[in-house]
Amino acid sequence: MFVLSPTPIRSILFSPFSHKSPKCAPLFTKAEYHHYIFDATIKHTHLNLGPLTRSYGSIQKSKRILGLRTTNTTLKARALTIKNEAGNTPRCVVLDIEGTTTPISFVTDVLFPYARDNVRMHLEGTYDMTDTKDDINLLRSQIEDDLQNGVVGAVPVPSDDAGKEEVIAALVTNVEEMIKADRKITSLKQLQGHIWRTGFEKNVIKGVVYDDVVQAFERWHASGVKVYIYSSGSRLAQRLIFGYTNYGDLRKYLCGFFDTKVGNKRETKSYVEISESLGVDKPSEVLFVTDVVQEAVAAKAAGLEVIISVRPGNAPLPENHGCDTVETFTEIPF
Ligand SMILES: CSCCC(=O)C(=O)COP(=O)(O)O
């Protein structure tokens, strides 16, 4: 069983430090800037999380980190008991995106507004294309369900006979409501992926990935740990966000992508399906990292190892969630 060596994090966090906004990070919110400083401080002081040890230890987590409240728990760096030929580490890591590899603010302040602002133009410009026809069919069937279930904001979409303009107007109204409600449904996510593709390919959008994630990708790549993504965003959107990042094309580090076609991220059977797809002997050979407690619980119930990602801007965690947490991937002990 492996643990992180206790490290004097508190003394580093509260050391005097000259705060100067990084000029090259225009998409960063204040919270992300604090996170940037936090990472930089750690690097600056050559923080060494220490070797993997076979003893047990704990990290006393600070209650306030640079003004951001975190859960005041003692993180028992719990064992990852998976064994493989390389040692007692997971063979596979599956990562959520929003709030885990990427700031939530990038999704809510950049991606979602881009989709909302461009949905009409996208539908008008691509109406007769196969991808868009598929998207519209999926949306139609979702909207029919929504209307039957009384979902607020759903409006009927007329048949094609009503003409392109009317169909698009109704679709736009529905899609705007879906985005506002942050619905994690395949029909919306598929369409969003197609809209974002233009933005990424034209260099209007760049995927934001935390630097500690890139370091972990390199580490895992070197040690033979396979990395996968499981996000509500479509597989196309996932490839775009990691293909066009602030660190270049990171897809070389990724072995595969799972989206909502595997199932809802809050359902245990989705994680059973994923671990079976990965070809591991036991689900516990897979580590899943997410910021969403319900996803962590579902994955745990499927037998996966789980860590909750605590990033600036993430929703607060409930007390007694019972999972290990990390603030950066540097803390993941392999
Ligand atoms: C693939 S990037 C877009 C992310 C997205 O659309 C989303 O809803 C975030 O979902 P996640 O499951 O990564 O939290």
Side-chain angles (χ1 to χ4, degrees), residues 95-100 106-107 111-112 182-184 189 192 196 200 229-239 241-242 265 290-292 295:
L95 301 172
D96 160 67
I97 296 180
E98 188 185 7
T100 301
F106 172 68
V107 177
L111 288 184
F112 289 176
D182 190 11
R183 295 183 68 191
K184 308 291 189 190
K189 294 294 157 189
Q192 281 178 322
W196 292 329
F200 279 104
I229 302 298
Y230 180 29
S231 169
S232 307
S234 68
R235 288 184 301 183
L236 168 64
Q238 297 173 29
R239 288 199 302 274
I241 203 172
F242 288 103
K265 290 183 77 184
T290 181
D291 62 314
V292 177
E295 295 175 6

